[in-house]
Amino acid sequence: MEWPRWEGHGPLSFVASVNCAALPADSLDIPLPADGTLAFFYFDGQVDDGEALVLPDDPESRAGARVLYLPAGAPTTERAAPPELEPYPMVPLTAGVVATAPDPYHPLIEETFAHTGDADHPVYGDAFLEALWEAAGEGADHRIGGHADAVQNPVEAEVAHAVLGKGTSWDDPRLAEETRGWTLLAQFDSDDGAGMMWGDCGTLYWLIRPEDLAERRFDKAMFIWQCC
């Protein structure tokens, strides 16, 4: 296949690949394939000095992020990146099982603690937020499955808002329902070791509907990025 491109803009940078067979499938909360490889690509601004942005509420920009699934045994060939791109250095990673929590403003938290958006609720308090931050540990926070570690607002809510349309009110009851319909596929943090800096210490996120994941429709994944 051709190297992934955003038509009219240029080639996408290769961000990461995930060997599904090497993951602890029994510990994951998403039904990833038992084998094969997921490859993640993103238009990172190298070609145009960051002029074009990939945003969930801009449908025309969604071609700027891709997830490809390569089934086990599929014939592949190692290829050089397009000349317009400076490839990121290869950094081998291992996987560890960790507990994650939804963002305090995610509808799941509101339902669990029944606080209905009360700004004075303890889940918004410094002690609770600092405990979550400490639980995440130090270093780059790359994740497969689990809950996203949002830099700003819940990424699931921002994707849901984009799906419902720009004119959707943030108080629209459909938004909470749509938010619950998206789950984290992967997130890739800024990482000094890989020479990756997404904006100002930001993170890349790919989210997907569980039904699309079950059917291996990775082309339906939605991309969003956030930074400080």
Side-chain angles (χ1 to χ4, degrees):
M1 61 184 304
E2 294 183 359
W3 187 278
R5 298 181 62 88
W6 181 4
E7 195 64 36
H9 295 275
L12 279 56
S13 291
F14 171 68
V15 175
S17 65
V18 177
N19 178 2
C20 295
L23 295 176
D26 293 343
S27 300
L28 288 175
D29 64 337
I30 56 174
L32 284 181
D35 51 27
T37 301
L38 291 173
F40 296 83
F41 295 82
Y42 168 58
F43 188 79
D44 60 3
Q46 288 191 49
V47 176
D48 64 353
D49 198 26
E51 181 177 346
L53 299 178
V54 184
L55 303 171
D57 57 1
D58 180 4
E60 294 185 358
S61 76
R62 293 175 186 170
R66 295 274 301 277
V67 183
L68 302 180
Y69 174 59
L70 290 71
T76 59
T77 301
E78 184 174 336
R79 298 172 58 186
E84 304 99 309
L85 300 176
E86 177 68 27
Y88 294 105
M90 185 177 72
V91 178
L93 299 176
T94 57
V97 179
V98 298
T100 63
D103 184 273
Y105 292 92
H106 193 288
L108 289 175
I109 293 293
E110 295 186 355
E111 293 170 4
T112 301
F113 291 96
H115 61 72
T116 62
D118 179 6
D120 295 326
H121 195 281
V123 299
Y124 300 135
D126 290 341
F128 183 71
L129 297 178
E130 289 177 5
L132 288 178
W133 182 78
E134 291 177 0
E138 298 181 357
D141 192 1
H142 310 306
R143 297 184 182 182
I144 301 296
H147 295 285
D149 182 21
V151 179
Q152 300 288 344
N153 300 316
V155 293
E156 301 89 348
E158 292 199 12
V159 165
H161 189 268
V163 171
L164 293 176
K166 288 185 177 181
T168 304
S169 168
W170 288 97
D171 296 328
D172 192 319
R174 297 178 302 159
L175 185 60
E177 184 64 26
E178 184 67 27
T179 297
R180 287 190 289 267
W182 291 89
T183 190
L184 180 69
L185 174 60
Q187 75 173 44
F188 299 105
D189 200 1
S190 293
D191 189 327
D192 291 340
M196 293 176 173
M197 178 61 68
W198 314 124
D200 186 4
C201 298
T203 305
L204 310 181
Y205 308 87
W206 276 268
L207 290 90
I208 194 168
R209 296 182 189 275
E211 57 269 28
D212 289 330
L213 179 56
E215 296 178 3
R216 308 293 184 252
R217 301 179 66 182
F218 293 102
D219 59 309
K220 298 294 184 181
M222 288 280 285
F223 170 85
I224 182 173
W225 69 280
Q226 294 181 344
C227 65
C228 298

